[in-house]
Amino acid sequence: MTGRELLVLGVAAACSLSVMGWIIWSERPVPAPPPPEPAAAAEAAPEPEALEVDAERVAELEAAAEAAPDDAAVRASLGDVYFDARQFETAIAWYEEAVAVDPAYVDASTSLAMSWFHAGDTARAIETFERSLEIDPAHPRTLLNLGIVRALGFRDLEGALAAWEQVIAAAPDSREALDARELLDRVGAAHESAPAAGLP
């Protein structure tokens, strides 16, 4: 499993815990304050610590990118290297190059969206997810991550649930659908536990 997959799974786990806590908190019988602005939510999230990149791998990929200016895949691979190292600003630059070379490259566009989210720009992440869905409205990884970003970045539970349900409808046997079911189950369990905690 790559660092990028582990990081996305970590965000999914954090999302499920955050959403459960948020549901219970927001259902207390006192007026809930409005959800925070996306920028405030991003500032509250701890910045992941950057890691060292494999310099030899970067040099190899950069040489390949220079030799093939129309190769979107090698640029996305460079983005992946920097994403794995949690160096999101540099990942963004390479994913943007990949999408510039191939505007229909939905995987690179979705990775770009997640990089924007991790870099603290939730609104830009949502815009980029929307562009990914214009390319492929049923792309499972886009829908799964859109739900995570809606839940964590905007506290938009309704939007998150809708995105995760779309994942299951679009690709019921996919790994993303499995993750979406787990997130939906956790949200449902949080709702069920609210009365047990003396909440309405």
Side-chain angles (χ1 to χ4, degrees):
M1 184 174 291
T2 68
R4 187 160 56 103
E5 290 170 332
L6 286 170
L7 188 54
V8 170
L9 286 176
V11 170
C15 176
S16 63
L17 292 172
S18 175
V19 167
M20 284 189 291
W22 172 49
I23 290 166
I24 293 170
W25 169 79
S26 66
E27 290 184 348
R28 291 184 182 278
V30 294
E37 292 297 319
E43 287 169 8
E47 285 289 328
E49 187 176 339
L51 307 173
E52 291 294 322
V53 297
D54 180 341
E56 186 175 335
R57 176 69 174 149
V58 166
E60 175 188 322
L61 288 170
E62 284 180 345
E66 187 175 348
D70 294 330
D71 189 338
V74 72
R75 286 160 173 77
S77 293
L78 273 159
D80 292 346
V81 169
Y82 284 102
F83 190 103
D84 288 351
R86 303 176 184 178
Q87 297 184 29
F88 300 114
E89 296 293 344
T90 308
I92 286 167
W94 283 111
Y95 288 134
E96 284 184 329
E97 283 201 26
V99 172
V101 169
D102 181 1
Y105 195 171
V106 67
D107 284 318
S109 178
T110 296
S111 294
L112 173 60
M114 286 306 292
S115 298
W116 279 120
F117 174 64
H118 287 297
D121 194 335
T122 303
R124 200 72 180 268
I126 295 291
E127 289 173 10
T128 309
F129 281 131
E130 287 170 355
R131 285 201 299 272
S132 294
L133 292 173
E134 287 173 7
I135 300 165
D136 182 355
H139 192 253
R141 189 164 70 89
T142 302
L143 291 167
L144 177 69
N145 287 304
L146 173 62
I148 290 170
V149 171
R150 284 199 178 283
L152 285 178
F154 284 101
R155 296 197 178 187
D156 174 11
L157 184 58
E158 185 176 338
L161 296 177
W164 296 331
E165 286 166 357
Q166 283 181 273
V167 175
I168 295 166
D173 298 324
S174 66
R175 174 179 166 179
E176 290 84 0
L178 182 65
D179 291 340
R181 285 189 187 94
E182 181 179 352
L183 288 164
L184 289 167
D185 287 347
R186 290 186 182 219
V187 170
H191 272 293
E192 289 171 9
S193 70
L199 303 177

